[in-house]
């Protein structure tokens, strides 16, 4: 993933950004000038990909026709720039977060001789690298006369970029090709100039070529020309450098163009297209803007192949590579070439947390296969997770890049019929001793602490694993000022900022992952020992309250319990509150993993009491050790789910960090709907249960009573309202703390008065405690008050016998009044003694067992006698 830490700058030059001054990791222009041996302006005239000598990595040589040099002298008018990745024949490698160039790109490039000493196999010329990867490439948009790199914008090439370079290098550029001039901004207009009147759909999934309903864009208008040529193209906002930069182009003769007429164009939206307005450009380079933006929900990686049938651009599909339905990863342990033993490093646990997130939430079928000494990045059937080192076979990670996913794919002929198969991936993690540049990284379970100048590695690795599934970038950036009042962008946004965590996928990333993981039943052909069978998804954990629910029409009963799972929850910008309408200070906060519960107050209103139980964080070490970790609770007064990003400000806010009662929510209105919203502070992952009580909730259970009748306890209770009630579990306890249920009574339901009763023919000695567990149809429950009944004194009570039936070992819990020796006799149904056992017990609760494996299958009675021969207890069990 390209990790850059500066703001979008719509100015004539690069300046420090006040909002992020405490958390920048800029690869500034001074550093680019210092580290570049040559600074050139030129056009990419040709691209050719090739294998390295070991046939482990594909590189692409880009011939750049030089227009100007701002630093360094050249012997040739053409230089060759090397990028990692490319396609050779039926095999392709995507280095997902490194520099990519396109034919006819015009840019300023900060270059230096390739660190591995590679030469072009086509010309023999020394290849050049670009310092800081994509940040070292300022691509021109000649229609707007702007120059752009990730998070850097020059509003004028001549008055901005040129002046900046001349000032900082101290001299005028050398003109190599005087024919290139920056065009006049205004373009000639004519009655035949293009015009876009409408387009559909407005929400697309970029790169999803096998999903035409959500990927095929139809553009209506006029002046598109029935015979497009030369510069005719569709221009989309480029998701690889954020909103508003140099657009990515789909030329009229691209395989992505389905049809092109004067009044309609049908185009598959490319994987680099981002949310924003698009353009149609004609043969005279005159462009028409779309009447509104397209929204890119998610994007899927694609690759271009040429083979039998022609040239295609298709999405990459996940396959069953390990024979167990998916893929297997291995952790590199080698320290050669400056490497680090990942198996012994804390970063392994960080990677495992990110991997488990995708496995559990999306069903990503990737297993851990142990360790390997391999360091080489190669499509060799072994997916390695490795620290950057000098033995990868690729350049060290450039400055500004924290990690990179190398994504391998193949296709069988004919390419027009068969689909592209993913054949593995490797992930390289920044190694401060090898990778260029320097940045502080948080790799532990806690989010980056104040002063928020560290990058969260788990966020980075979750992003890189998104690439390994086939997800491409989107351009939905962060919101808000500095942390903790900043909301991180979508997980697959091309860049993250320091000080924030995005350890849970957002809705778009999750939907994209599910698209990639779900088998499609495609045709893949048979060649090169490719698997040909698709990945089998793992079972996934779905959070039922992840999005705003339906609202109740009747008052919510007291004692209602709601379980929240923020370990597997996501966020969804289409339904969630805006980031600055969540905390009561309205200062803004992160929106990463949230859930909801709607309730209705009673006829009187009043106070809401919430008790937290079962609070547990993930990982466990977060609880009580990470500053600021916890769960935010916000209360909204709304009659139904508001539109996404249009919630009102919350009425009341609380924070959960442990079990116990929250401060009272007071002043709630009568007969009113409310929405409880919970989200993890700094993406805290936790599970917990909220029990709702207070005067604001109606009383359903009128009374619950019990008394001794002969030698049994008779229990009775009465209800007045039962909405969605399912059943009553009657529970008892000998000490008032540990309860076991002994009777189930179905609920009668309705709004009328209902009466119930249950009997206990085996109460405990002295006192027996009882309560009701009131179950609803949706699985929620509440408890009644506990009642205490005076029961006859008994020398001994068998509290529990289990398992029953048993196959051999019979466990039982005995409550005894004092210490004694007991004889346990076993009789069959005919009264014949089948076994005898002697045990000793102490006062209180005893846990004992006997082995009855020698008994024949059947029903038996267990009789307990004391030393004097008195029968103290009888019970029945079944032997399997």
């Amino acid at each position: 993933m390209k990790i850059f830490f500066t703001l979008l700058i719509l100015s004539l030059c690069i300046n420090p950004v006040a909002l992020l001054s405490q958390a920048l990791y800029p690869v500034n222009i001074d550093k680019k000038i210092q580290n570049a041996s040559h600074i050139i302006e030129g056009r990419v005239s040709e691209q050719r990909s090739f294998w390295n000598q070991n046939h482990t990595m594909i590189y692409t040589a880009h011939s750049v026709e030089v227009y100007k040099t701002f630093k360094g002298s050249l012997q040739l008018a053409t230089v060759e720039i090397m990028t990692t990745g490319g396609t050779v024949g039926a095999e392709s490698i995507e280095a997902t977060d490194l520099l990519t160039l396109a034919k006819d790109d015009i840019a300023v490039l900060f270059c230096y001789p390739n660190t591995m000493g590679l030469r072009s196999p086509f010309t023999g010329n020394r290849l050049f690298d670009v310092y800081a990867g994509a940040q070292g490439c300022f691509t021109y948009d000649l229609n707007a006369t702007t120059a752009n790199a990730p998070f850097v914008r020059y509003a004028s090439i001549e008055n901005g970029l040129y002046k900046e370079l001349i000032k900082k290098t101290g001299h005028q550029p050398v003109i190599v090709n005087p024919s290139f001039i920056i065009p006049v901004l205004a373009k000639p207009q004519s009655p035949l100039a293009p015009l876009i009147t409408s387009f559909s759909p407005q929400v697309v999934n970029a790169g999803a070529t096998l999903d035409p309903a959500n990927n095929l864009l139809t553009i209506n208008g006029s002046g598109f020309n029935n015979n497009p040529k030369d510069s005719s193209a569709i221009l989309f906002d480029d998701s690889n450098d954020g909103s508003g930069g140099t657009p990515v182009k789909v030329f009229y003769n691209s395989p992505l163009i389905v049809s092109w007429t004067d009044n309609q164009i049908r185009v598959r939206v490319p994987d680099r297209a981002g949310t924003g307005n698009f353009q149609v450009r004609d043969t005279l380079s005159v462009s028409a803007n779309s009447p509104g933006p397209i929204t890119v929900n998610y994007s899927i990686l694609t690759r271009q192949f040429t083979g039998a049938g022609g040239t295609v651009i298709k999405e990459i599909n996940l396959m069953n590579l390990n024979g167990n339905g998916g893929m297997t990863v291995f952790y590199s342990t080698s320290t050669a070439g400056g490497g680090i033993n990942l198996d012994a490093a804390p970063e392994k646990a960080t990677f495992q947390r990110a991997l488990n997130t995708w496995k559990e939430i999306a069903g990503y079928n990737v297993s851990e296969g142990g360790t390997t000494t391999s360091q080489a990045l190669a499509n060799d059937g072994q997916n390695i997770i490795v620290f950057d080192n000098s033995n990868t076979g690729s350049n060290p990670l450039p400055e500004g890049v924290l990690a990179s996913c190398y994504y391998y794919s193949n296709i069988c002929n004919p390419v027009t019929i068969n689909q592209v198969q993913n054949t593995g991936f490797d992930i390289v993690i920044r190694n401060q001793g090898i990778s260029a540049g320097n940045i502080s990284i948080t790799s532990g379970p806690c989010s980056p602490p104040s002063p928020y100048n560290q990058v969260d590695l788990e966020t980075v690795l979750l992003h890189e694993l998104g690439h390994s599934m086939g997800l491409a970038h989107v351009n939905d950036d962060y919101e808000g000022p500095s942390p903790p009042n900043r909301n991180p962008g979508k997980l697959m946004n091309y860049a993250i900022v320091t000080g924030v965590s995005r350890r849970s996928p957002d809705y778009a990333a999750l939907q994209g992952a599910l698209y990639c993981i779900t088998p499609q039943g495609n045709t893949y052909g048979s060649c090169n020992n490719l698997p040909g069978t698709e990945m089998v998804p793992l079972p996934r954990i779905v959070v039922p309250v992840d999005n705003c629910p339906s609202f109740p029409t009747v008052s919510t009963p007291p004692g209602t319990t709601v379980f929240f799972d923020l370990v597997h929850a996501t966020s969804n910008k289409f339904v969630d509150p805006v980031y600055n309408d969540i905390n009561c200070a309205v200062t803004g906060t992160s929106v990463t993993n949230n859930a909801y519960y709607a309730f209705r107050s009673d006829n009187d209103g009043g106070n809401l009491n919430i008790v937290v139980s079962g609070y547990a964080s993930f990982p466990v070490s977060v609880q009580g050790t990470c500053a600021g970790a916890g769960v935010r609770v916000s209360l909204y007064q709304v009659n139904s789910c508001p539109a996404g990003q249009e919630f009102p400000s919350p009425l009341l806010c609380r924070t959960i960090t442990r079990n116990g009662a929250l401060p009272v929510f007071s002043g709630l209105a009568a007969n009113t709907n409310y929405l409880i919203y919970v989200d993890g502070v700094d993406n805290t992952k936790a599970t917990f249960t909220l029990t709702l009580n207070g005067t604001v909730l109606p009383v359903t259970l009128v009374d619950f009573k019990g008394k001794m009748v002969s030698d049994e306890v008779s229990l009775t209770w009465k209800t007045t309202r039962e909405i969605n009630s399912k059943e009553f579990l009657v529970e008892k306890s000998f000490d008032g703390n540990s309860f076991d249920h002994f009777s189930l009574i179905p609920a009668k339901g309705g709004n009328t008065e209902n009466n119930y009763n249950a009997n206990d023919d085996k109460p405990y000695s002295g006192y027996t405690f009882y309560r009701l567990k009131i179950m609803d149809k949706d699985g929620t429950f509440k408890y009644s008050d506990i009642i205490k009944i005076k029961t006859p004194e008994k020398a001994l009570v068998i509290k529990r016998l289990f398992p029953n039936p048993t196959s051999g070992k019979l466990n039982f819990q005995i409550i005894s009044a004092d210490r004694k020796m007991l004889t346990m006799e076993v009789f069959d149904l005919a009264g014949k003694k089948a076994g005898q056992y002697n045990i000793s017990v102490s006062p209180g609760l005893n846990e004992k067992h006997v082995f009855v494996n020698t008994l024949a299958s059947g029903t038996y009675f267990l009789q307990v006698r004391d030393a004097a021969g008195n029968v103290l207890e009888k019970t029945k069990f079944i032997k399997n």
Side-chain angles (χ1 to χ4, degrees), residues 434-514:
I434 298 294
S435 308
N438 189 35
I439 181 66
S440 182
I441 299 173
T442 294
S443 59
C446 299
S447 292
S450 178
Y452 309 113
N453 60 351
Q454 297 183 350
V455 175
D456 182 58
L457 183 61
E458 188 172 338
T459 301
V460 174
L461 294 178
L462 193 70
H463 176 107
E464 294 306 323
L465 282 166
H467 283 318
S468 78
M469 285 184 286
L471 296 180
H473 288 145
V474 296
N475 60 358
D476 197 321
D477 205 357
Y478 69 89
E479 300 172 298
S482 58
N485 306 124
R486 175 175 294 151
N487 181 30
K490 287 183 178 179
L491 176 66
M492 297 313 296
N493 187 54
Y494 80 101
I496 67 170
V497 290
T498 56
V500 295
S501 298
R502 163 62 83 177
R503 300 177 176 185
S504 299
D506 56 90
Y507 174 83
L510 175 58
Q511 292 304 305
L514 294 176

Side-chain angles (χ1 to χ4, degrees), residues 38-45 63-70 79 81 99-111 130 133-142 146-150 157 161-162 165 180 182 246 249:
H38 296 75
I39 303 174
I40 64 171
E41 175 191 70
R43 180 183 71 90
V44 178
S45 59
S63 296
V64 176
E65 178 188 349
V66 179
Y67 296 152
K68 297 180 184 70
T69 62
F70 291 88
V79 300
I81 303 295
L99 171 66
T100 59
L101 294 170
K103 191 174 184 299
D104 292 326
D105 276 351
I106 299 175
V108 165
L109 298 154
F110 296 77
C111 309
V130 175
Q135 287 197 81
C137 175
F138 293 165
T139 308
Y140 291 178
D141 180 356
L142 293 181
T146 62
N148 305 280
I157 297 172
L161 178 58
Y162 283 1
L165 291 173
F180 174 72
I182 303 299
T246 301
K249 307 171 189 67

Side-chain angles (χ1 to χ4, degrees), residues 210-228:
L210 293 174
D211 181 22
N214 297 296
N215 176 254
L216 184 60
L217 182 68
T218 299
I219 306 170
N220 300 307
S222 60
F224 301 153
N225 198 324
N226 286 321
N227 298 297

Side-chain angles (χ1 to χ4, degrees), residues 349-360:
T350 308
F351 177 84
Q352 289 174 317
R353 290 195 298 271
L355 178 60
N356 285 334
T357 294
W358 279 124
K359 291 173 67 173
E360 294 172 1

